[in-house]
Amino acid sequence: MTGAEIEDQWRRYKRLGDAAARDLLIAHYAYLVKITAGRVVSKLPPSMEREDLVSAGAVGLIKAVDQYDPSRQVKFETYAIALVRGAILEMLREDDWVPRSIRDRLKVLEKTLTELEVRFGRPATEEEMAEALSVTPDEYRKIVMDTGRTSLLSMEDILVGGSDGGEKLHLSDVIRDDGPTPSIEVEMTERRRMLGRAIDR
């Protein structure tokens, strides 16, 4: 749509309540959702797909279209991106099972570790990290243990092999399963059925 056509759609929606104009505006600005989703998160958590971000962003875009006031002379794209980004971040926070305090502590740890590595030209020791954080070595170890719990991985997300260009397998594909195979389970079920019929006779 041209600039004049977009303005006309805004007028039709905001002044006349035209639902078709609203749908056209949402479709026209849908590209903002994909752009914002790509900028907000470069690497997704294992439990989430990029479509999840787009869905959350679409909710933000719809909210932006409904709440936007063209008379305020604020560019819609700027207003919409803020709401789309907020909706995506809110969904990521809800999906994150790790408490925010631990996430904040992890950021402080990473920042301090980086600063000490730059200063010393080598990885910092536990004592150096504890001193920089103004805690005892025992308290530092507890912080590391608490934040370490944020690194849990799904077995479906761990890949093994494939370094030589061969097939990559999930860890869950190669772990031994001591339980009965499907064929054995079918055979056992059939045996129980036949035994039951024999007892009935």
Side-chain angles (χ1 to χ4, degrees), residues 112-122 124 128-129 132:
T112 305
L113 185 61
T114 303
E115 288 173 352
L116 292 181
E117 282 185 0
V118 170
R119 188 192 307 170
F120 299 137
R122 58 167 173 78
E128 290 165 343
M129 283 291 291

Side-chain angles (χ1 to χ4, degrees), residues 4 22 40 50 59 65-66 89-90 99 141 145 158 163 171:
R22 175 181 182 263
V40 168
R50 189 159 294 278
V59 172
V65 169
D66 288 344
L89 291 175
E90 183 63 31
R141 280 188 283 273
M145 197 165 67
I158 302 174
S163 59
L171 185 59

Side-chain angles (χ1 to χ4, degrees), residues 3-174:
E5 288 172 333
I6 294 169
E7 284 183 20
D8 182 55
Q9 296 303 327
W10 279 118
R11 183 187 61 78
R12 291 169 65 85
Y13 173 46
K14 293 297 179 177
R15 293 184 186 175
L16 308 174
D18 188 338
R22 175 181 182 263
D23 292 342
L24 283 171
L25 288 166
I26 291 169
H28 176 74
Y29 289 110
Y31 73 94
L32 294 174
V33 175
K34 289 187 178 179
I35 291 173
T36 309
R39 288 176 181 168
V40 168
V41 151
S42 57
K43 187 177 180 184
L44 290 174
S47 61
M48 197 170 292
E49 300 288 338
R50 189 159 294 278
E51 287 74 23
D52 297 331
L53 295 187
V54 172
S55 296
V59 172
L61 175 63
I62 291 168
K63 186 177 178 183
V65 169
D66 288 344
Q67 295 182 355
Y68 179 63
D69 183 358
S71 67
R72 290 197 172 183
Q73 302 300 313
V74 176
K75 197 173 180 184
F76 175 75
E77 287 87 339
T78 306
Y79 178 75
I81 285 172
L83 267 66
V84 169
R85 187 173 187 275
I88 291 172
L89 291 175
E90 183 63 31
M91 187 204 64
L92 288 171
R93 276 193 293 269
E94 288 175 1
D95 189 67
D96 192 359
W97 59 273
V98 180
R100 187 162 190 169
S101 60
I102 302 249
R103 288 283 182 207
D104 292 341
R105 207 177 294 174
L106 182 59
K107 286 179 186 174
V108 171
L109 271 181
E110 289 173 346
K111 184 178 176 211
T112 305
L113 185 61
T114 303
E115 288 173 352
L116 292 181
E117 282 185 0
V118 170
R119 188 192 307 170
F120 299 137
R122 58 167 173 78
T125 64
E126 282 188 358
E127 289 73 20
E128 290 165 343
M129 283 291 291
E131 184 181 346
L133 294 166
S134 301
V135 296
T136 66
D138 285 341
E139 288 172 333
Y140 169 70
R141 280 188 283 273
K142 185 179 183 307
I143 292 170
V144 170
M145 197 165 67
D146 289 342
T147 54
R149 292 178 188 145
T150 66
S151 303
L152 295 178
L153 290 173
S154 163
M155 291 176 74
E156 285 297 326
D157 298 309
I158 302 174
L159 296 175
V160 294
S163 59
D164 57 353
E167 183 181 2
K168 290 186 178 179
L169 298 171
H170 289 285
L171 185 59
S172 56
D173 295 328
V174 296

